[in-house]
Amino acid sequence: MIKQNVQDIINKQIQAEMYSAYLYLGMAVWCNDQNLNGAAQWFKLQAKEEMAHAMRFYKFLEETNSQIVLKAIDPPPAKWGNLLNVFEDAYKHEQKVTGMIYEIVNLANKEGDHATASMCKWFVDEQVEEEAQTLEIVNQIKMLGDSKGSLFMLDRQLGKRE
Ligand SMILES: [Fe+2]
Ligand SMILES: [Fe+2]
């Protein structure tokens, strides 16, 4: 039995993961509009992963006979200055999500809820990876400078993500 306050924070996380998907889809739309189709493809795949994250929390609530409560999802931003800003925002967002995951772990520990703490371990590791991969791209874009040719190459490389 998962305590009500823990159920509540997990339901909030389902919303946050769905918002992450929405945010990355918004970034995909912006990239497509800028003819950065490789980056758009990268964000579409990222959005898919975020939906899978939401479903992981969903399944946990289901398995523990908890109440699933779906909340409204805010629209994402639609405008960015350039591709660097997009990936900087993605990196900042992943850092924020890491903080949210840590809050769930802290609450689970406080409540002696080992099941929730254990389930969150996967997410703790996943966030390390997500932060690392977005920061790596931020740093790559910073190295490009103003060269259109290298931006084109990076876009192609991003489009190869599977
Ligand atoms: Fe996520
Ligand atoms: Fe993420």
Side-chain angles (χ1 to χ4, degrees):
M1 177 72 201
I2 306 295
K3 280 191 184 163
Q4 190 59 51
N5 55 349
V6 180
Q7 290 189 29
D8 290 346
I9 201 170
I10 294 172
N11 274 306
K12 233 178 82 192
Q13 195 61 31
I14 292 176
Q15 178 194 34
E17 299 293 344
M18 291 304 284
Y19 176 75
S20 300
Y22 233 42
L23 174 64
Y24 294 142
L25 277 182
M27 290 173 171
V29 170
W30 182 88
C31 290
N32 262 137
D33 289 345
Q34 308 295 314
N35 292 316
L36 295 165
N37 296 333
Q41 171 66 9
W42 193 95
F43 279 115
K44 274 185 262 182
L45 287 176
Q46 192 58 33
K48 233 174 146 182
E49 278 199 10
E50 299 300 350
M51 283 184 257
H53 293 170
M55 289 314 293
R56 232 180 149 101
F57 285 111
Y58 183 106
K59 191 169 161 245
F60 178 75
L61 289 180
E62 213 173 34
E63 281 172 348
T64 54
N65 205 23
S66 304
Q67 186 62 51
I68 297 165
V69 183
L70 299 178
K71 300 167 193 300
I73 305 160
D74 286 336
K79 282 202 176 86
W80 284 272
N82 54 42
L83 191 65
L84 176 61
N85 298 151
V86 175
F87 274 98
E88 279 173 338
D89 276 6
Y91 177 53
K92 267 185 242 156
H93 182 70
E94 288 303 331
Q95 288 179 304
K96 190 179 150 201
V97 171
T98 300
M100 295 179 84
I101 301 285
Y102 287 8
E103 273 179 42
I104 302 175
V105 177
N106 289 342
L107 182 65
N109 287 335
K110 200 184 113 207
E111 298 292 354
D113 183 340
H114 297 281
T116 298
S118 172
M119 179 271 297
C120 282
K121 265 187 196 147
W122 184 89
F123 281 99
V124 170
D125 296 340
E126 174 73 4
Q127 283 309 119
V128 172
E129 218 178 274
E130 300 236 311
E131 282 191 33
Q133 84 180 356
T134 41
L135 181 60
E136 192 188 351
I137 299 168
V138 165
N139 289 332
Q140 281 175 348
I141 299 172
K142 279 181 180 167
M143 283 192 298
L144 299 184
D146 290 330
S147 156
K148 283 238 161 121
S150 36
L151 181 65
F152 176 78
M153 295 299 285
L154 177 73
D155 185 62
R156 279 189 63 170
Q157 186 204 317
L158 290 172
K160 284 183 187 150
R161 178 179 179 182
E162 281 172 11

